[in-house]
Amino acid sequence: MVKWTNPSVVAFSGTDDPVVKIQARAQQLTLAAFEDGWVGPPYNPIKIAEMLGATVVPNSDISDARTIAVAGKAVIEFNPNRVRERVRFSIAHEVAHLLFSDALDEIRHRGGSGNKRDEWQLEMLCNMAAAEFVMPIGSFPTIEETVSLAALMKRRVDFDVSAEAFMIRLAKSVSTSVGVFCASPFESEGAWSYRIDYYIPSAMAPTPNIVGRIIPKESSAYRCTAIGFTDFGTEAWVSDRPLDVEYVGIPAYPGASLPRVIGLIHYERSVEGHSPIKFVQGNALLARGDGPKIICQLVNDRASKWGGGLASQTARKYPFAESSFSEWMIASRKEALGQMHLVDIDDTTAIASLVAQAGFGSSVTPRIRYNALESALLRLSEAASARGASVHMPRIGMGSARGDWGTIESLLQDTLVRRGVNITVYEMPPKRQQLELF
């Protein structure tokens, strides 16, 4: 495990895991930006900077990017002569510095000054937040298989993002069993070794305790001696059996002569009890399978009755369930966003109403509230786990809420799949076309 010593990091995280906290904070900001109409790709991190009250300006006299205080306000300067991918990530990195309470106490440079021994801890966390800003949740479609890392690096160019940002998002989007880690070089007794800084598993992957571990010298990681160099091998240091691990070199922290490396671990099997989201054609109200079930629908925070789609079908079939929801909603209306109402309709099935839409009717921006949806889904996950229930739903949030399915699916992965809750998503069969006679 990493011993966190950087003062900025310690003040930010308190008793929490800094890696978990920085990712959660960055995701909260990106979800709020989506609700305000942020679109991509490419995703412009200046939007996040503005949300945090910062100004972003070009300055060709600096090396890369930096954050300074002007009249007590944050100003992010960037070198516009760098390649576009680097400019976007550099701005995003500086935006990430603003998440720390002491961001304006001194000038912050992307990559750090290299003068402080534990400065890499702060820089690593800023890189992780920056990855979320340039390739946010939902920006990469869920894929059913993972191809070679070399092929992934070619695909990365299409997204105009860094290798680090691309691989972090890949780990959170793929439905196979893989893990992504970043390792940085450090010098000890005149020799260089690679130490793992962070590890991100896919929803189907195990979580071995490898953070802080030294990668053995015989690993292929040590052959990635320049940025963009790739290598691979079958290695036994991750677990008790050999696994295929691929590596790519990425930019180093200041003071290091060797690049950092991103590693992609291919596991042979998924975590027991974890299943990818299942997509079928049918009606969610006629939930399939054995055992306890929870049927989900998304509702707005001003509803006193269930609306259209699945909700209207449910209300007609189970009017007592709608009455229960109405009574609950009237009692909790002021703080309903992010809440979940659960009502049993028989001995094995319940209806969950997720309050994650702000109002109803026409709107310039989407009415879905992603942070509220995440909170409601976490409550759903707890209820499903306690009951040993599977979850069944249509593509929630895609109607009047005007949500993005890629973002919603990623939230389902994080809140339900990673916790071992089985999900089935139902789509109505396509309408059959009438024969046209000429």
Side-chain angles (χ1 to χ4, degrees):
M1 295 293 291
V2 174
K3 183 179 179 182
W4 300 98
T5 56
N6 182 274
S8 298
V9 174
V10 172
F12 167 78
S13 60
T15 58
D16 298 327
D17 182 338
V19 170
V20 173
K21 189 167 184 177
I22 196 71
Q23 290 185 92
R25 179 69 179 116
Q27 182 170 293
Q28 288 172 357
L29 286 167
T30 58
L31 292 177
F34 285 148
E35 295 166 6
D36 196 39
W38 193 40
V39 294
Y43 291 91
N44 192 338
I46 293 178
K47 171 71 172 180
I48 309 296
E50 292 172 345
M51 290 171 59
L52 295 174
T55 303
V56 181
V57 297
N59 182 350
S60 57
D61 293 331
I62 63 174
S63 173
D64 205 330
R66 68 180 183 180
T67 301
I68 61 176
V70 177
K73 302 279 188 175
V75 175
I76 295 173
E77 298 180 330
F78 67 94
N79 188 330
N81 299 320
R82 297 289 190 178
V83 296
R84 185 174 60 182
E85 165 199 311
R86 181 163 180 170
V87 167
R88 289 174 57 241
F89 194 85
S90 294
I91 293 173
H93 180 97
E94 294 306 310
V95 172
H97 271 297
L98 301 181
L99 303 184
F100 297 85
S101 60
D102 59 353
L104 301 184
D105 289 354
E106 59 183 276
I107 297 176
R108 305 286 180 174
H109 297 268
R110 183 196 166 183
S113 63
N115 298 326
K116 301 175 183 177
R117 189 175 183 83
D118 58 4
E119 195 172 22
W120 68 270
Q121 297 177 359
L122 176 61
E123 293 303 298
M124 179 191 77
L125 294 180
C126 287
N127 279 347
M128 297 186 77
E132 183 69 33
F133 297 150
V134 298
M135 199 164 187
I137 183 170
S139 60
F140 192 92
T142 299
I143 54 177
E144 302 300 323
E145 60 181 356
T146 311
V147 296
S148 71
L149 192 145
L152 289 169
M153 289 300 97
K154 292 179 181 178
R155 189 174 182 184
R156 170 188 72 85
V157 177
D158 296 335
F159 288 85
D160 195 26
V161 294
S162 68
E164 187 171 14
F166 183 85
M167 293 305 293
I168 288 175
R169 180 50 56 198
L170 173 88
K172 296 178 180 181
S173 303
V174 70
S175 62
T176 55
S177 183
V178 301
V180 170
F181 65 85
C182 179
S184 57
F186 73 99
E187 188 175 10
S188 178
E189 298 179 356
W192 285 96
S193 297
Y194 276 106
R195 177 175 53 209
I196 296 178
D197 296 333
Y198 62 82
Y199 168 76
I200 300 174
S202 70
M204 307 298 294
T207 54
N209 185 20
I210 61 173
V211 176
R213 187 179 299 182
I214 307 301
I215 299 178
K217 289 289 187 180
E218 60 271 18
S219 168
S220 300
Y222 292 85
R223 294 198 287 270
C224 296
T225 54
I227 296 170
F229 280 23
T230 63
D231 212 316
F232 62 89
T234 301
E235 303 178 356
W237 61 269
V238 177
S239 69
D240 57 0
R241 66 182 189 281
L243 296 171
D244 291 338
V245 186
E246 298 183 87
Y247 299 93
V248 61
I250 64 172
Y253 293 131
S257 59
L258 291 176
R260 293 180 295 148
V261 294
I262 290 287
L264 175 64
I265 306 170
H266 298 269
Y267 294 102
E268 296 174 351
R269 55 181 180 267
S270 300
V271 175
E272 185 176 354
H274 286 205
S275 299
I277 299 173
K278 183 179 181 180
F279 292 88
V280 300
Q281 289 187 346
N283 188 337
L285 201 54
L286 304 174
R288 305 172 190 177
D290 300 322
K293 304 176 187 67
I294 299 177
I295 300 171
C296 272
Q297 58 189 17
L298 187 143
V299 299
N300 73 73
D301 63 346
R302 293 171 59 187
S304 57
K305 292 183 178 296
W306 287 334
L310 176 68
S312 64
Q313 297 177 48
T314 309
R316 287 194 300 270
K317 190 170 184 178
Y318 305 105
F320 70 90
E322 184 185 41
S323 296
S324 174
F325 168 78
S326 297
E327 293 173 4
W328 172 81
M329 196 65 174
I330 291 170
S332 59
R333 187 180 303 282
K334 289 184 178 180
E335 48 190 32
L337 270 176
Q339 300 295 319
M340 177 197 71
H341 175 262
L342 192 68
V343 57
D344 292 300
I345 57 175
D346 59 36
D347 291 341
T348 61
T349 307
I351 301 290
S353 297
L354 312 177
V355 188
Q357 177 180 327
F360 57 88
S362 61
S363 173
V364 175
T365 57
R367 288 197 175 276
I368 193 167
R369 294 295 179 263
Y370 292 111
N371 282 305
L373 177 58
E374 182 178 34
S375 297
L377 287 172
L378 287 170
R379 289 180 166 86
L380 172 64
S381 177
E382 292 176 1
S385 297
R387 293 173 175 231
S390 55
V391 167
H392 305 258
M393 64 178 68
R395 286 184 180 245
I396 58 173
M398 299 296 291
S400 60
R402 292 165 49 203
D404 172 73
W405 179 251
T407 303
I408 294 168
E409 185 177 0
S410 294
L411 288 174
L412 293 175
Q413 294 272 6
D414 285 347
T415 56
L416 295 168
V417 175
R418 287 184 185 276
R419 290 165 171 78
V421 177
N422 291 336
I423 313 174
T424 301
V425 175
Y426 297 76
E427 300 175 287
M428 295 304 292
K431 292 182 179 180
R432 301 173 68 182
Q433 299 297 315
Q434 293 291 115
L435 176 63
E436 295 184 2
L437 299 177
F438 297 93

